[in-house]
Amino acid sequence: MADKQEKREVYIEKRVRALTTMLLTRSDNLLIEEVTDDIGQDYIVRFRTPGKEGLREFGIELRGAWTSVTKDHADKVLRLALQQVKRYGPFPRPVCLFFFTMENDDAWYTWVAEPNVSQEGKHVLRLRDAPDCQPLDKRALKEIVDRVDLWYDGFFPSLIGNGQGKSKTVRKQSKR
Amino acid sequence: MATRDLIGKRGEAIVTARLMDFCGNPDPYFDVHPLGEKCPTFDYLVELVNSGDSVPYFLVQVKSTQQGFTLKKRRLIIQVTKDDVVRMVRCPFPTYLVGVDEPNDRAYIVSVHGNMRGAIATMPATYPLTPRNLYKLWVEVKAHWRKLEASVKRSEFLYED
């Protein structure tokens, strides 16, 4: 019985990966890396935006189940998954959790590390405490990509410092 | 990623998702094992799920296309070489060609056997990988393997001293 359940989970996992690849490859501007190591993300998705600098990316962790669910049920089911993924953090990129059900091929997503702007205007990743599942389809994927894109617009400038990095005084002190 | 690679990757995902469709059952009819890029002719070994102690399987070549269908007979436009067709026909296990209409996420299956000898340029869209056809495929492959008798196997390489 346990063996049968384990096999069933393997089937679900395989199919969830296939459905994710199907969804992601609908957009030909996305570079998709399937992660095999245990880093709390099954996919890293990268893209460039015409007219903007820098390679932008986000991570995806996958979950699947047999029974189809409502939003409330999906939020409940993914609560534990969200906590599990958060243990791998902090993350250097935005991270989403995708959830597929086999019964009717429904798909949901929730942010784990959500692109956000703090009150001080800093571009930060907010680790969610609870899932807020939204239906996942081609349109939702575009919204995710647009949000990540916008976040990097503000995040990249905060990473880059021109010149030798430290202030003149600090450089003088370190030479002594 | 090159466009051709992307179509191939997408085609593989569509085939896996379709063949492993649970069709409302607790388990899918099939478990799909990719054979890797270096394997000639065949792309997947597909095992039958819940088919008893001996696990029957079949071999699949996948062809993905963005070219769509012929106008007259609505056949999916694909390319399979003559060598591949001959190899598939000669294989004693069930062998199938799966054509993927990539823009529409749909996959069609056809058996490659019998007197087929030449290259394939189009395939019928008569058998989409729907739950009904998946079940029929499961029954067909299981019936083929039932004819094979494990006890008739002979070998020079014996386990006993």
Side-chain angles (χ1 to χ4, degrees):
Chain A
M1 192 65 186
D3 185 41
K4 204 162 177 120
Q5 189 55 38
E6 263 174 41
K7 275 188 179 171
R8 194 163 290 159
E9 279 165 19
V10 171
Y11 301 146
I12 291 174
E13 192 185 320
K14 269 190 188 182
R15 190 152 188 270
V16 163
R17 278 189 179 263
L19 291 169
T20 304
T21 304
M22 273 175 73
L23 178 69
L24 296 174
T25 51
R26 274 195 196 129
S27 311
D28 54 11
N29 64 327
L30 300 181
L31 304 165
I32 302 145
E33 183 188 340
E34 209 170 333
V35 181
T36 47
D37 295 315
D38 185 20
I39 62 163
Q41 287 153 68
D42 292 311
Y43 284 84
I44 295 173
V45 180
R46 300 184 173 92
F47 61 93
R48 284 188 185 278
T49 308
K52 292 183 183 178
E53 284 182 323
L55 190 65
R56 288 126 204 263
E57 63 182 38
F58 63 99
I60 300 169
E61 176 69 359
L62 303 176
R63 288 291 186 277
W66 190 87
T67 317
S68 64
V69 291
T70 59
K71 178 196 158 32
D72 288 349
H73 194 191
D75 284 345
K76 225 178 255 180
V77 171
L78 288 188
R79 188 174 285 270
L80 178 64
L82 186 85
Q83 299 308 325
Q84 286 170 341
V85 179
K86 275 169 67 177
R87 280 183 214 138
Y88 290 90
F91 301 101
R93 62 181 74 84
V95 177
C96 283
L97 189 55
F98 282 12
F99 180 56
F100 292 87
T101 61
M102 301 299 106
E103 192 178 20
N104 57 0
D105 286 356
D106 270 353
W108 300 87
Y109 81 94
T110 181
W111 287 103
V112 178
E114 187 174 12
N116 224 316
V117 182
S118 70
Q119 285 182 337
E120 299 82 44
K122 280 184 179 173
H123 285 71
V124 293
L125 293 171
R126 188 167 70 94
L127 288 175
R128 287 198 70 91
D129 291 323
D132 176 23
C133 288
Q134 303 297 324
L136 176 63
D137 52 18
K138 196 178 173 184
R139 203 165 122 189
L141 178 66
K142 191 182 175 303
E143 280 170 16
I144 292 169
V145 170
D146 287 349
R147 192 148 171 210
V148 170
D149 188 31
L150 206 64
W151 183 77
Y152 274 101
D153 286 348
F155 177 65
F156 276 144
S158 71
L159 284 179
I160 300 160
N162 290 324
Q164 295 182 37
K166 296 168 185 170
S167 70
K168 210 170 181 179
T169 325
V170 176
R171 283 204 303 274
K172 269 183 187 172
Q173 280 170 354
S174 58
K175 270 184 185 172
R176 281 177 200 154
Chain B
M1 194 184 289
T3 308
R4 207 173 141 190
D5 291 344
L6 188 74
I7 296 170
K9 197 178 173 120
R10 188 165 154 67
E12 286 167 14
I14 292 168
V15 170
T16 303
R18 295 290 169 250
L19 282 172
M20 294 191 74
D21 192 333
F22 280 60
C23 306
N25 302 314
D27 291 317
Y29 288 116
F30 305 106
D31 187 12
V32 172
H33 303 279
L35 293 171
E37 283 174 18
K38 288 182 181 170
C39 180
T41 309
F42 297 108
D43 297 305
Y44 287 101
L45 184 153
V46 183
E47 287 184 339
L48 272 60
V49 173
N50 293 334
S51 57
D53 293 335
S54 159
V55 181
Y57 61 87
F58 61 94
L59 297 167
V60 169
Q61 179 172 116
V62 175
K63 287 290 175 190
S64 303
T65 181
Q66 290 186 328
Q67 292 185 56
F69 299 84
T70 57
L71 291 176
K72 269 190 180 173
K73 292 188 172 175
R74 221 186 109 71
R75 289 171 68 93
L76 190 66
I77 300 166
I78 49 155
Q79 295 292 328
V80 184
T81 65
K82 181 183 171 182
D83 286 354
D84 277 353
V85 172
V86 171
R87 265 191 220 124
M88 289 170 86
V89 170
R90 284 184 184 156
C91 178
F93 307 124
T95 51
Y96 296 91
L97 172 64
V98 173
V100 180
D101 172 25
E102 185 263 310
N104 295 307
D105 289 353
R106 299 200 74 177
Y108 304 87
I109 193 163
V110 69
S111 171
V112 181
H113 73 286
N115 295 323
M116 295 172 76
R117 288 287 178 271
I120 293 174
T122 62
M123 66 177 279
T126 321
Y127 312 105
L129 289 179
T130 55
R132 188 161 173 257
N133 283 330
L134 289 174
Y135 175 68
K136 282 166 84 173
L137 180 64
W138 188 91
V139 171
E140 178 173 296
V141 176
K142 191 170 165 68
H144 177 90
W145 278 79
R146 204 176 285 140
K147 286 185 274 178
L148 302 176
E149 188 56 60
S151 61
V152 300
K153 278 195 286 189
R154 298 284 177 265
S155 177
E156 292 285 319
F157 309 100
L158 300 176
Y159 178 72
E160 294 86 9
D161 293 325

